[in-house]
Amino acid sequence: MVKLSGLKGGRGGGAFAGLLVLLLPVFFPALFKPLSHASPSAFSEWNAPKPRHSRLLNSVLRREYPNEEQKSLWTPLRDQGWRPCLESTKPPSLPENSKGYIQVFLDGGLNQQRMGICDAVAVAKILNATLVIPHLEMNPVWKDSSSFTDIFDVSHFIDVLKDDISIVRELPYEFSWSTREYYATAIRATRVKLAPVHASASWYLENVSPILDSYGIAAISPFSHRLAFNNLSAEIQRLRCKVNFRALAFVPHVRALGDAIVGRLRYPPKADDGNYLREVTDRDNGKGTGKFVVLHLRFDKDMAAHSACDFGGGKAEKIALAKYRQTIWQGRVVNSQFTDEELRNQGRCPLTPEEIGLLLAALGFDNSTRLYLASHKVYGGEARLSALRNLFPLMEDKKSLASSEERAQIKGKASLLAAVDYYVSMHSDIFISASPGNMHNAMVGHRTFENLKTIRPNMALLGQLFSNKSLTWPEFQQAVLAGHKGRHGEIRLRKPKQSLYTYPAPDCMCRH
């Protein structure tokens, strides 16, 4: 026992008692096993969260995989009769005289900013204005201050769009006063602050064009989701897609790192000499030799708290997420009014690493599948990933595939880390996301445009299946396979108000 001597009451005794409480888990971790599901918590580094679907997991680990099932998984999408269609119906032309300069200030993560850049080009075109390379705000969640030029190849961006709009890297001297700091200090006549979400082209002509006439410059902030997807000309719609799918190329060092990672996934090293080996695709009976899947596992604390779902971490996890939710959003989380069962039945709960692993296994992927994990920090750390790693031991990520020297230029920069994942995702044989969101939507759109296989999880079905604890593995697999027919990247035409960047057909794709 720890002997408490010489400290009786007073501040010293209280401080020592407080310190002792904090140190008890270190010296006596076994005492805290009732809280072992908390992840992360003060005790999560000793107590990993237990699997929630151990019955299904055990069945998967004992099964054998039929070859035919594997072959169909890796078969590329058939030709669906659609092709990229980006050329304007009118000959591209620049206005003889620009009406002025358009600045935009973009917040959000990489994919939200990417959509904002596309919209900014379209607005500049609508207004016959010159676009200043967009300003990317510091991300408040990831604390990343990367600029447009840190992420995207500016020369390529300007060159691809040179016949469509005029773009400048920075403002001329007479407008050098128009900075982010200038607009942060007071109300300014040149700042457009009240642009509505999904504003029409006519709104910009009526409200922003007069500012350009008067001052020669207009700064739009905030500028996120500020252009409608409906009632725009075919020329503007195709221009937005041209920006997204052709003009926005990552900087060379991101592409180089992405290429290196893709190469190491496709041609893993021999066990004997460590050299990368080009393997024949069909040597392994169609089991995916030389092929790989990208899994976007958006399972960070921010997502977990915002979803308001229960992820099996016990009381300590619920308290931690509720506190985080209150601190970040002051209780403004719509999902929090529903029970966990209701949220799962509606498909509103992101899949845990364990659950996405079971989905992949039910679809037919086995332990020889090369899996690339595209994600930021996983809530719960390696402990939360253990079930997924047991199912897919060949799971890799940026850290396991690239040296610290190769990763030096992107270290600690969330946008560049996301850019590498985006690049690798676009070069994968199959992409799947465990949670709907900006990355999921961006990949669905871009890979549809290129006719690449992309699996869209049926979230409502999976929520109901995982809530049924009596399901056997054959029943679970049969339901998963039936519920995911037609969800492997088949063309879905955009409906009114849906995003052009998620559904590029028919606006930016033509039948042939």
Side-chain angles (χ1 to χ4, degrees), residues 102-127:
I102 289 290
Q103 286 178 289
V104 295
F105 300 90
L106 304 174
D107 53 17
L110 173 70
N111 293 296
Q112 185 174 332
Q113 290 173 337
R114 188 183 184 102
M115 292 183 284
I117 293 165
C118 300
D119 288 350
V121 170
V123 167
K125 181 72 172 180
I126 289 167
L127 295 172

Side-chain angles (χ1 to χ4, degrees), residues 60 62-66:
V60 176
R62 292 195 303 265
R63 74 171 183 154
E64 294 182 1
Y65 295 76

